Amino acid sequence: MVVQDKVAVITGAASGIGRKTACRYAEHGASVVVADVDAEGGAETVERISDDGGEATFVETDVTDPTEVRTAIETAVDEYGDLDVLFNNAGIEGSLNELAEWDDEAIEPVIDVNLKGVFYGLKYGIEAMLATGGGSIINTSSVGAATGINGRSMYCATKAGVNGLTRTAAVEYAEDDIRVNSVLPGTTDTPMIRRSDQERDTDRLQLNTSDAMEGRGQPRHLADAVLFLGSDLSARVTGVELPVDGGFLAGP
């Protein structure tokens, strides 16, 4: 029970990595605010946690709206009395096109969700943690922040930006006992990746990834990494970009 009695806000928790992490935190004794724009999926996550005896609340949250992000964080403090962990996980993949073929209007949504959404989470999460004595913030980046992914130029660019925000916030708030780290998923079996697999219909857009370990990553692998980073087991870990990628970035 490594996060017993802690309070966590998890964005993008209606499915995939976010849902699995919310359930994992609840299993380990945390109270969880499930934040997502998908009300049906968010309610299902809360139901799963409740059915297993955990504590969770859903807040419909569009991370591109700073007011809604702030409301999700304030709900944690109002409902459970604290904010110990914030997992800025919500993200979108955007268009699947080579860079020169991207429509101009397709750029902004990716920046708004993947980069601004994390910024707003950091801003209001830090504000709450300064008032409650510190905490841990984890941001979802990607191996695409460290290497190119065919067809995902803006996705990779925003995830590199997430790492920049992570490092800066970690340095700025270390003295306030606020730790900030990022996780870098490799190819993980999520709805996003399954959509992407179906869209890659030309040789030029095929994934240029090959994990050193066999098989494909699962949401539980990310959930356990985020659980570690949110717990006191990682009390001296901050500013870290942690790949959870089966050894992909370690390869040639």
Side-chain angles (χ1 to χ4, degrees), residues 173-236:
Y173 293 96
E175 292 184 359
D176 300 296
D177 201 25
I178 298 173
R179 299 184 295 109
V180 187
N181 297 286
S182 63
V183 288
L184 282 61
T187 303
T188 307
D189 188 19
T190 64
M192 179 188 293
I193 288 294
R194 290 193 288 272
R195 285 195 302 271
S196 183
D197 287 345
Q198 293 174 356
E199 292 173 6
R200 293 181 183 278
D201 56 0
T202 68
D203 289 341
R204 287 174 64 90
L205 291 178
Q206 292 305 304
L207 274 175
N208 54 333
T209 62
S210 180
D211 296 350
M213 298 176 72
E214 292 185 1
R216 173 169 282 191
Q218 298 297 318
R220 62 183 173 85
H221 299 132
L222 273 298
D224 284 344
V226 177
L227 185 67
F228 165 71
L229 291 172
S231 76
D232 294 339
L233 295 173
S234 58
R236 289 286 291 179

Short mmCIF file of all heavy atoms in Angstrom, two decimals, residues 173-236:
data_model
loop_
_atom_site.label_atom_id
_atom_site.label_comp_id
_atom_site.label_asym_id
_atom_site.label_seq_id
_atom_site.Cartn_x
_atom_site.Cartn_y
_atom_site.Cartn_z
N TYR A 173 10.95 24.05 -8.04
CA TYR A 173 10.16 23.77 -6.84
C TYR A 173 10.75 22.67 -5.96
O TYR A 173 10.08 22.17 -5.06
CB TYR A 173 8.72 23.43 -7.25
CG TYR A 173 8.03 24.65 -7.82
CD1 TYR A 173 7.97 24.84 -9.20
CD2 TYR A 173 7.50 25.64 -7.00
CE1 TYR A 173 7.38 25.98 -9.74
CE2 TYR A 173 6.91 26.77 -7.52
CZ TYR A 173 6.86 26.93 -8.90
OH TYR A 173 6.28 28.07 -9.41
N ALA A 174 12.01 22.33 -6.19
CA ALA A 174 12.66 21.30 -5.37
C ALA A 174 12.69 21.70 -3.89
O ALA A 174 12.46 20.88 -3.00
CB ALA A 174 14.08 21.03 -5.87
N GLU A 175 12.96 22.97 -3.62
CA GLU A 175 13.05 23.43 -2.23
C GLU A 175 11.69 23.44 -1.55
O GLU A 175 11.61 23.52 -0.32
CB GLU A 175 13.67 24.82 -2.17
CG GLU A 175 15.14 24.85 -2.56
CD GLU A 175 15.75 26.23 -2.40
OE1 GLU A 175 15.01 27.17 -2.00
OE2 GLU A 175 16.95 26.36 -2.66
N ASP A 176 10.62 23.33 -2.32
CA ASP A 176 9.27 23.30 -1.76
C ASP A 176 8.75 21.88 -1.58
O ASP A 176 7.56 21.69 -1.31
CB ASP A 176 8.32 24.09 -2.66
CG ASP A 176 8.74 25.54 -2.82
OD1 ASP A 176 8.73 26.26 -1.82
OD2 ASP A 176 9.08 25.92 -3.96
N ASP A 177 9.64 20.90 -1.73
CA ASP A 177 9.28 19.49 -1.58
C ASP A 177 8.25 19.05 -2.61
O ASP A 177 7.41 18.20 -2.34
CB ASP A 177 8.78 19.19 -0.17
CG ASP A 177 8.89 17.71 0.18
OD1 ASP A 177 9.74 17.02 -0.41
OD2 ASP A 177 8.11 17.24 1.03
N ILE A 178 8.33 19.63 -3.81
CA ILE A 178 7.50 19.20 -4.93
C ILE A 178 8.42 18.55 -5.95
O ILE A 178 9.33 19.18 -6.48
CB ILE A 178 6.74 20.39 -5.57
CG1 ILE A 178 5.78 21.01 -4.54
CG2 ILE A 178 5.98 19.92 -6.81
CD1 ILE A 178 5.11 22.27 -5.03
N ARG A 179 8.18 17.27 -6.19
CA ARG A 179 8.97 16.52 -7.16
C ARG A 179 8.22 16.47 -8.49
O ARG A 179 7.00 16.31 -8.50
CB ARG A 179 9.25 15.11 -6.66
CG ARG A 179 10.04 15.09 -5.37
CD ARG A 179 10.41 13.69 -4.93
NE ARG A 179 9.25 12.86 -4.60
CZ ARG A 179 8.81 11.85 -5.32
NH1 ARG A 179 9.40 11.54 -6.48
NH2 ARG A 179 7.75 11.15 -4.94
N VAL A 180 8.95 16.59 -9.59
CA VAL A 180 8.32 16.58 -10.91
C VAL A 180 9.14 15.67 -11.82
O VAL A 180 10.34 15.90 -12.02
CB VAL A 180 8.23 17.99 -11.52
CG1 VAL A 180 7.42 17.96 -12.81
CG2 VAL A 180 7.63 18.98 -10.53
N ASN A 181 8.50 14.66 -12.35
CA ASN A 181 9.15 13.70 -13.24
C ASN A 181 8.25 13.40 -14.44
O ASN A 181 7.06 13.72 -14.42
CB ASN A 181 9.43 12.39 -12.49
CG ASN A 181 10.39 12.57 -11.33
OD1 ASN A 181 11.58 12.75 -11.53
ND2 ASN A 181 9.87 12.53 -10.10
N SER A 182 8.82 12.79 -15.44
CA SER A 182 8.00 12.35 -16.58
C SER A 182 8.27 10.89 -16.88
O SER A 182 9.35 10.35 -16.59
CB SER A 182 8.28 13.20 -17.83
OG SER A 182 9.61 13.07 -18.25
N VAL A 183 7.25 10.24 -17.42
CA VAL A 183 7.40 8.87 -17.92
C VAL A 183 7.31 8.91 -19.44
O VAL A 183 6.54 9.68 -20.01
CB VAL A 183 6.35 7.92 -17.34
CG1 VAL A 183 6.62 7.63 -15.87
CG2 VAL A 183 4.92 8.43 -17.53
N LEU A 184 8.11 8.07 -20.08
CA LEU A 184 8.18 8.02 -21.54
C LEU A 184 7.71 6.64 -22.01
O LEU A 184 8.51 5.71 -22.09
CB LEU A 184 9.60 8.28 -22.03
CG LEU A 184 10.12 9.72 -22.07
CD1 LEU A 184 10.14 10.34 -20.68
CD2 LEU A 184 11.51 9.76 -22.68
N PRO A 185 6.42 6.49 -22.28
CA PRO A 185 5.95 5.19 -22.78
C PRO A 185 6.54 4.89 -24.15
O PRO A 185 6.69 5.78 -24.99
CB PRO A 185 4.43 5.37 -22.87
CG PRO A 185 4.12 6.59 -22.06
CD PRO A 185 5.33 7.45 -22.14
N GLY A 186 6.84 3.62 -24.35
CA GLY A 186 7.10 3.14 -25.69
C GLY A 186 5.78 2.73 -26.32
O GLY A 186 4.72 3.22 -25.95
N THR A 187 5.84 1.85 -27.29
CA THR A 187 4.61 1.36 -27.92
C THR A 187 3.83 0.55 -26.89
O THR A 187 4.29 -0.49 -26.43
CB THR A 187 4.94 0.50 -29.14
OG1 THR A 187 5.73 1.25 -30.06
CG2 THR A 187 3.67 0.06 -29.84
N THR A 188 2.67 1.06 -26.51
CA THR A 188 1.89 0.49 -25.42
C THR A 188 0.48 0.16 -25.94
O THR A 188 -0.09 0.92 -26.72
CB THR A 188 1.79 1.48 -24.24
OG1 THR A 188 3.11 1.89 -23.88
CG2 THR A 188 1.12 0.86 -23.04
N ASP A 189 -0.06 -0.95 -25.50
CA ASP A 189 -1.35 -1.42 -26.00
C ASP A 189 -2.47 -0.58 -25.40
O ASP A 189 -3.08 -0.95 -24.39
CB ASP A 189 -1.53 -2.89 -25.64
CG ASP A 189 -2.77 -3.50 -26.28
OD1 ASP A 189 -3.27 -2.92 -27.27
OD2 ASP A 189 -3.23 -4.55 -25.80
N THR A 190 -2.76 0.54 -26.03
CA THR A 190 -3.81 1.45 -25.61
C THR A 190 -4.73 1.74 -26.81
O THR A 190 -4.37 1.47 -27.96
CB THR A 190 -3.22 2.78 -25.12
OG1 THR A 190 -2.55 3.42 -26.22
CG2 THR A 190 -2.24 2.56 -23.98
N PRO A 191 -5.91 2.34 -26.55
CA PRO A 191 -6.77 2.71 -27.68
C PRO A 191 -6.06 3.62 -28.68
O PRO A 191 -6.28 3.49 -29.90
CB PRO A 191 -7.94 3.42 -26.99
CG PRO A 191 -8.03 2.79 -25.65
CD PRO A 191 -6.59 2.52 -25.25
N MET A 192 -5.20 4.53 -28.20
CA MET A 192 -4.49 5.42 -29.11
C MET A 192 -3.59 4.64 -30.07
O MET A 192 -3.58 4.89 -31.28
CB MET A 192 -3.65 6.42 -28.31
CG MET A 192 -2.86 7.38 -29.19
SD MET A 192 -1.69 8.43 -28.26
CE MET A 192 -2.83 9.45 -27.31
N ILE A 193 -2.84 3.70 -29.53
CA ILE A 193 -1.92 2.92 -30.37
C ILE A 193 -2.70 2.03 -31.32
O ILE A 193 -2.31 1.85 -32.49
CB ILE A 193 -0.97 2.08 -29.49
CG1 ILE A 193 0.07 3.00 -28.81
CG2 ILE A 193 -0.26 1.02 -30.31
CD1 ILE A 193 1.02 3.68 -29.78
N ARG A 194 -3.81 1.46 -30.86
CA ARG A 194 -4.60 0.60 -31.75
C ARG A 194 -5.19 1.40 -32.91
O ARG A 194 -5.24 0.91 -34.04
CB ARG A 194 -5.68 -0.12 -30.95
CG ARG A 194 -5.12 -1.18 -30.01
CD ARG A 194 -6.21 -2.10 -29.45
NE ARG A 194 -7.05 -1.44 -28.48
CZ ARG A 194 -6.80 -1.39 -27.18
NH1 ARG A 194 -5.71 -1.94 -26.70
NH2 ARG A 194 -7.64 -0.78 -26.36
N ARG A 195 -5.61 2.64 -32.63
CA ARG A 195 -6.08 3.50 -33.73
C ARG A 195 -4.94 3.76 -34.72
O ARG A 195 -5.12 3.72 -35.93
CB ARG A 195 -6.58 4.84 -33.17
CG ARG A 195 -7.92 4.81 -32.51
CD ARG A 195 -8.47 6.22 -32.33
NE ARG A 195 -7.59 7.08 -31.56
CZ ARG A 195 -7.63 7.20 -30.24
NH1 ARG A 195 -8.49 6.49 -29.52
NH2 ARG A 195 -6.80 8.02 -29.61
N SER A 196 -3.78 4.04 -34.16
CA SER A 196 -2.62 4.36 -35.00
C SER A 196 -2.24 3.16 -35.88
O SER A 196 -1.90 3.32 -37.05
CB SER A 196 -1.44 4.77 -34.12
OG SER A 196 -0.33 5.13 -34.88
N ASP A 197 -2.29 1.96 -35.31
CA ASP A 197 -1.96 0.76 -36.09
C ASP A 197 -2.86 0.64 -37.32
O ASP A 197 -2.41 0.26 -38.40
CB ASP A 197 -2.13 -0.48 -35.22
CG ASP A 197 -1.02 -0.65 -34.18
OD1 ASP A 197 0.02 0.03 -34.32
OD2 ASP A 197 -1.20 -1.44 -33.24
N GLN A 198 -4.13 0.97 -37.14
CA GLN A 198 -5.09 0.86 -38.25
C GLN A 198 -4.87 1.93 -39.31
O GLN A 198 -5.19 1.72 -40.48
CB GLN A 198 -6.51 0.94 -37.70
CG GLN A 198 -6.90 -0.23 -36.82
CD GLN A 198 -8.26 -0.06 -36.16
OE1 GLN A 198 -8.91 0.99 -36.29
NE2 GLN A 198 -8.71 -1.08 -35.45
N GLU A 199 -4.32 3.07 -38.90
CA GLU A 199 -4.14 4.19 -39.83
C GLU A 199 -2.87 4.06 -40.68
O GLU A 199 -2.78 4.66 -41.75
CB GLU A 199 -4.07 5.51 -39.05
CG GLU A 199 -5.38 5.90 -38.38
CD GLU A 199 -5.21 7.12 -37.50
OE1 GLU A 199 -4.12 7.72 -37.51
OE2 GLU A 199 -6.17 7.48 -36.79
N ARG A 200 -1.91 3.29 -40.21
CA ARG A 200 -0.61 3.23 -40.90
C ARG A 200 -0.70 2.31 -42.12
O ARG A 200 -0.35 1.13 -42.06
CB ARG A 200 0.48 2.76 -39.92
CG ARG A 200 0.75 3.76 -38.81
CD ARG A 200 1.84 3.30 -37.87
NE ARG A 200 2.01 4.25 -36.79
CZ ARG A 200 2.72 5.37 -36.85
NH1 ARG A 200 3.34 5.69 -37.98
NH2 ARG A 200 2.81 6.19 -35.82
N ASP A 201 -1.16 2.88 -43.22
CA ASP A 201 -1.47 2.07 -44.40
C ASP A 201 -0.45 2.23 -45.51
O ASP A 201 -0.66 1.73 -46.62
CB ASP A 201 -2.87 2.41 -44.92
CG ASP A 201 -3.04 3.91 -45.21
OD1 ASP A 201 -2.07 4.67 -45.02
OD2 ASP A 201 -4.15 4.30 -45.63
N THR A 202 0.66 2.93 -45.26
CA THR A 202 1.72 3.03 -46.26
C THR A 202 3.06 2.70 -45.62
O THR A 202 3.24 2.84 -44.40
CB THR A 202 1.81 4.45 -46.86
OG1 THR A 202 2.28 5.37 -45.85
CG2 THR A 202 0.45 4.92 -47.37
N ASP A 203 4.02 2.26 -46.43
CA ASP A 203 5.33 1.89 -45.91
C ASP A 203 6.01 3.07 -45.22
O ASP A 203 6.70 2.92 -44.22
CB ASP A 203 6.23 1.38 -47.05
CG ASP A 203 5.78 0.00 -47.54
OD1 ASP A 203 5.05 -0.69 -46.80
OD2 ASP A 203 6.15 -0.36 -48.67
N ARG A 204 5.83 4.27 -45.76
CA ARG A 204 6.51 5.45 -45.21
C ARG A 204 5.99 5.83 -43.82
O ARG A 204 6.68 6.52 -43.07
CB ARG A 204 6.34 6.64 -46.16
CG ARG A 204 7.18 6.52 -47.43
CD ARG A 204 6.85 7.65 -48.38
NE ARG A 204 7.21 8.96 -47.87
CZ ARG A 204 8.40 9.55 -48.05
NH1 ARG A 204 9.35 8.92 -48.72
NH2 ARG A 204 8.64 10.76 -47.57
N LEU A 205 4.79 5.36 -43.47
CA LEU A 205 4.21 5.70 -42.17
C LEU A 205 4.28 4.56 -41.16
O LEU A 205 3.74 4.67 -40.07
CB LEU A 205 2.75 6.14 -42.34
CG LEU A 205 2.55 7.48 -43.05
CD1 LEU A 205 1.06 7.76 -43.21
CD2 LEU A 205 3.22 8.62 -42.30
N GLN A 206 4.96 3.47 -41.51
CA GLN A 206 5.06 2.37 -40.56
C GLN A 206 5.91 2.78 -39.35
O GLN A 206 6.84 3.58 -39.47
CB GLN A 206 5.67 1.13 -41.23
CG GLN A 206 4.77 0.50 -42.27
CD GLN A 206 3.39 0.17 -41.73
OE1 GLN A 206 3.27 -0.55 -40.74
NE2 GLN A 206 2.35 0.69 -42.38
N LEU A 207 5.57 2.23 -38.18
CA LEU A 207 6.32 2.54 -36.97
C LEU A 207 7.76 2.09 -37.08
O LEU A 207 8.03 0.95 -37.45
CB LEU A 207 5.67 1.85 -35.76
CG LEU A 207 4.52 2.56 -35.05
CD1 LEU A 207 3.95 1.65 -33.98
CD2 LEU A 207 4.98 3.87 -34.45
N ASN A 208 8.67 2.99 -36.75
CA ASN A 208 10.09 2.67 -36.77
C ASN A 208 10.56 2.36 -35.35
O ASN A 208 11.44 2.99 -34.80
CB ASN A 208 10.90 3.83 -37.36
CG ASN A 208 10.62 5.16 -36.67
OD1 ASN A 208 9.54 5.35 -36.12
ND2 ASN A 208 11.59 6.07 -36.71
N THR A 209 9.88 1.39 -34.71
CA THR A 209 10.22 1.02 -33.34
C THR A 209 10.43 -0.48 -33.24
O THR A 209 9.77 -1.26 -33.92
CB THR A 209 9.11 1.42 -32.35
OG1 THR A 209 7.91 0.72 -32.69
CG2 THR A 209 8.84 2.92 -32.39
N SER A 210 11.35 -0.85 -32.38
CA SER A 210 11.58 -2.26 -32.08
C SER A 210 12.13 -2.36 -30.67
O SER A 210 13.28 -2.00 -30.42
CB SER A 210 12.58 -2.86 -33.09
OG SER A 210 12.81 -4.22 -32.79
N ASP A 211 11.29 -2.81 -29.74
CA ASP A 211 11.72 -2.92 -28.36
C ASP A 211 12.73 -4.06 -28.20
O ASP A 211 12.64 -5.09 -28.89
CB ASP A 211 10.52 -3.21 -27.44
CG ASP A 211 9.51 -2.08 -27.42
OD1 ASP A 211 9.83 -0.99 -27.96
OD2 ASP A 211 8.42 -2.28 -26.87
N ALA A 212 13.67 -3.87 -27.28
CA ALA A 212 14.62 -4.94 -26.99
C ALA A 212 13.92 -6.12 -26.32
O ALA A 212 14.27 -7.28 -26.57
CB ALA A 212 15.74 -4.41 -26.10
N MET A 213 12.93 -5.82 -25.49
CA MET A 213 12.18 -6.88 -24.83
C MET A 213 11.06 -7.38 -25.75
O MET A 213 10.56 -6.64 -26.59
CB MET A 213 11.57 -6.36 -23.51
CG MET A 213 12.62 -5.91 -22.51
SD MET A 213 11.89 -5.20 -21.01
CE MET A 213 11.21 -6.68 -20.24
N GLU A 214 10.67 -8.62 -25.57
CA GLU A 214 9.62 -9.20 -26.39
C GLU A 214 8.26 -8.64 -26.01
O GLU A 214 8.01 -8.24 -24.88
CB GLU A 214 9.62 -10.73 -26.25
CG GLU A 214 10.84 -11.41 -26.85
CD GLU A 214 10.72 -12.92 -26.79
OE1 GLU A 214 9.67 -13.41 -26.30
OE2 GLU A 214 11.66 -13.60 -27.25
N GLY A 215 7.35 -8.63 -26.98
CA GLY A 215 5.98 -8.23 -26.72
C GLY A 215 5.79 -6.73 -26.75
O GLY A 215 6.70 -5.96 -27.04
N ARG A 216 4.57 -6.32 -26.48
CA ARG A 216 4.18 -4.91 -26.47
C ARG A 216 3.88 -4.48 -25.04
O ARG A 216 3.31 -5.23 -24.26
CB ARG A 216 2.96 -4.70 -27.37
CG ARG A 216 2.36 -3.32 -27.32
CD ARG A 216 1.33 -3.11 -28.43
NE ARG A 216 1.97 -2.84 -29.71
CZ ARG A 216 1.31 -2.41 -30.79
NH1 ARG A 216 0.00 -2.21 -30.75
NH2 ARG A 216 1.96 -2.19 -31.92
N GLY A 217 4.27 -3.25 -24.71
CA GLY A 217 4.00 -2.73 -23.39
C GLY A 217 2.51 -2.67 -23.10
O GLY A 217 1.69 -2.51 -24.00
N GLN A 218 2.18 -2.80 -21.82
CA GLN A 218 0.79 -2.76 -21.37
C GLN A 218 0.59 -1.57 -20.43
O GLN A 218 1.53 -1.12 -19.79
CB GLN A 218 0.43 -4.06 -20.65
CG GLN A 218 0.54 -5.30 -21.51
CD GLN A 218 -0.41 -5.28 -22.69
OE1 GLN A 218 -1.57 -4.89 -22.55
NE2 GLN A 218 0.07 -5.71 -23.86
N PRO A 219 -0.65 -1.06 -20.33
CA PRO A 219 -0.90 0.06 -19.42
C PRO A 219 -0.41 -0.19 -17.99
O PRO A 219 0.03 0.74 -17.31
CB PRO A 219 -2.42 0.22 -19.48
CG PRO A 219 -2.78 -0.21 -20.87
CD PRO A 219 -1.86 -1.37 -21.14
N ARG A 220 -0.45 -1.45 -17.53
CA ARG A 220 -0.02 -1.72 -16.16
C ARG A 220 1.46 -1.42 -15.96
O ARG A 220 1.88 -1.07 -14.84
CB ARG A 220 -0.31 -3.18 -15.79
CG ARG A 220 0.44 -4.21 -16.64
CD ARG A 220 0.04 -5.64 -16.26
NE ARG A 220 0.61 -6.62 -17.16
CZ ARG A 220 1.83 -7.13 -17.06
NH1 ARG A 220 2.61 -6.75 -16.04
NH2 ARG A 220 2.27 -8.02 -17.92
N HIS A 221 2.26 -1.54 -17.01
CA HIS A 221 3.68 -1.23 -16.87
C HIS A 221 3.88 0.26 -16.57
O HIS A 221 4.71 0.63 -15.73
CB HIS A 221 4.44 -1.62 -18.15
CG HIS A 221 4.37 -3.07 -18.47
ND1 HIS A 221 4.06 -3.55 -19.72
CD2 HIS A 221 4.58 -4.16 -17.69
CE1 HIS A 221 4.08 -4.87 -19.71
NE2 HIS A 221 4.39 -5.26 -18.49
N LEU A 222 3.11 1.11 -17.25
CA LEU A 222 3.19 2.55 -16.97
C LEU A 222 2.60 2.85 -15.61
O LEU A 222 3.12 3.69 -14.86
CB LEU A 222 2.45 3.32 -18.06
CG LEU A 222 3.25 3.70 -19.31
CD1 LEU A 222 4.42 4.61 -18.96
CD2 LEU A 222 3.73 2.49 -20.10
N ALA A 223 1.48 2.20 -15.28
CA ALA A 223 0.83 2.46 -14.00
C ALA A 223 1.77 2.18 -12.84
O ALA A 223 1.83 2.95 -11.86
CB ALA A 223 -0.44 1.61 -13.88
N ASP A 224 2.53 1.10 -12.92
CA ASP A 224 3.46 0.77 -11.84
C ASP A 224 4.60 1.79 -11.75
O ASP A 224 5.05 2.12 -10.65
CB ASP A 224 4.01 -0.63 -12.03
CG ASP A 224 3.00 -1.72 -11.67
OD1 ASP A 224 2.00 -1.40 -11.00
OD2 ASP A 224 3.21 -2.88 -12.05
N ALA A 225 5.06 2.28 -12.89
CA ALA A 225 6.11 3.31 -12.87
C ALA A 225 5.59 4.59 -12.24
O ALA A 225 6.28 5.24 -11.44
CB ALA A 225 6.60 3.57 -14.29
N VAL A 226 4.35 4.97 -12.58
CA VAL A 226 3.76 6.18 -12.01
C VAL A 226 3.47 5.99 -10.52
O VAL A 226 3.61 6.93 -9.73
CB VAL A 226 2.48 6.57 -12.78
CG1 VAL A 226 1.80 7.78 -12.15
CG2 VAL A 226 2.82 6.87 -14.24
N LEU A 227 3.09 4.78 -10.15
CA LEU A 227 2.89 4.48 -8.73
C LEU A 227 4.18 4.69 -7.95
O LEU A 227 4.18 5.30 -6.87
CB LEU A 227 2.40 3.05 -8.58
CG LEU A 227 2.02 2.59 -7.17
CD1 LEU A 227 0.77 3.31 -6.67
CD2 LEU A 227 1.80 1.06 -7.15
N PHE A 228 5.28 4.21 -8.47
CA PHE A 228 6.58 4.41 -7.84
C PHE A 228 6.92 5.89 -7.71
O PHE A 228 7.31 6.37 -6.64
CB PHE A 228 7.66 3.68 -8.65
CG PHE A 228 9.07 4.09 -8.32
CD1 PHE A 228 9.65 3.72 -7.12
CD2 PHE A 228 9.81 4.85 -9.22
CE1 PHE A 228 10.96 4.11 -6.81
CE2 PHE A 228 11.11 5.24 -8.92
CZ PHE A 228 11.68 4.87 -7.71
N LEU A 229 6.73 6.64 -8.79
CA LEU A 229 7.10 8.06 -8.77
C LEU A 229 6.19 8.89 -7.87
O LEU A 229 6.59 9.96 -7.40
CB LEU A 229 7.08 8.61 -10.19
CG LEU A 229 8.19 8.09 -11.11
CD1 LEU A 229 7.96 8.57 -12.55
CD2 LEU A 229 9.57 8.53 -10.63
N GLY A 230 4.99 8.41 -7.62
CA GLY A 230 4.09 9.12 -6.74
C GLY A 230 4.24 8.76 -5.28
O GLY A 230 3.66 9.40 -4.40
N SER A 231 5.01 7.72 -5.01
CA SER A 231 5.15 7.21 -3.65
C SER A 231 6.43 7.74 -3.00
O SER A 231 7.30 8.31 -3.65
CB SER A 231 5.20 5.68 -3.67
OG SER A 231 6.47 5.22 -4.11
N ASP A 232 6.54 7.49 -1.70
CA ASP A 232 7.73 7.90 -0.97
C ASP A 232 8.95 7.04 -1.31
O ASP A 232 10.07 7.35 -0.89
CB ASP A 232 7.47 7.85 0.54
CG ASP A 232 6.44 8.88 0.98
OD1 ASP A 232 6.25 9.87 0.23
OD2 ASP A 232 5.81 8.71 2.04
N LEU A 233 8.74 5.96 -2.05
CA LEU A 233 9.87 5.14 -2.50
C LEU A 233 10.79 5.93 -3.44
O LEU A 233 11.96 5.58 -3.61
CB LEU A 233 9.37 3.89 -3.21
CG LEU A 233 8.58 2.88 -2.37
CD1 LEU A 233 8.00 1.78 -3.24
CD2 LEU A 233 9.47 2.29 -1.28
N SER A 234 10.25 6.99 -4.05
CA SER A 234 11.04 7.81 -4.98
C SER A 234 11.30 9.19 -4.39
O SER A 234 11.36 10.19 -5.11
CB SER A 234 10.32 7.93 -6.32
OG SER A 234 9.03 8.49 -6.15
N ALA A 235 11.48 9.26 -3.07
CA ALA A 235 11.55 10.53 -2.36
C ALA A 235 12.68 11.45 -2.84
O ALA A 235 12.59 12.68 -2.69
CB ALA A 235 11.70 10.29 -0.85
N ARG A 236 13.76 10.90 -3.41
CA ARG A 236 14.87 11.72 -3.90
C ARG A 236 14.94 11.73 -5.42
O ARG A 236 15.97 12.08 -6.00
CB ARG A 236 16.19 11.21 -3.32
CG ARG A 236 16.37 11.47 -1.84
CD ARG A 236 16.68 12.91 -1.54
NE ARG A 236 18.01 13.32 -2.00
CZ ARG A 236 18.48 14.56 -1.86
NH1 ARG A 236 17.73 15.50 -1.32
NH2 ARG A 236 19.69 14.86 -2.28
#
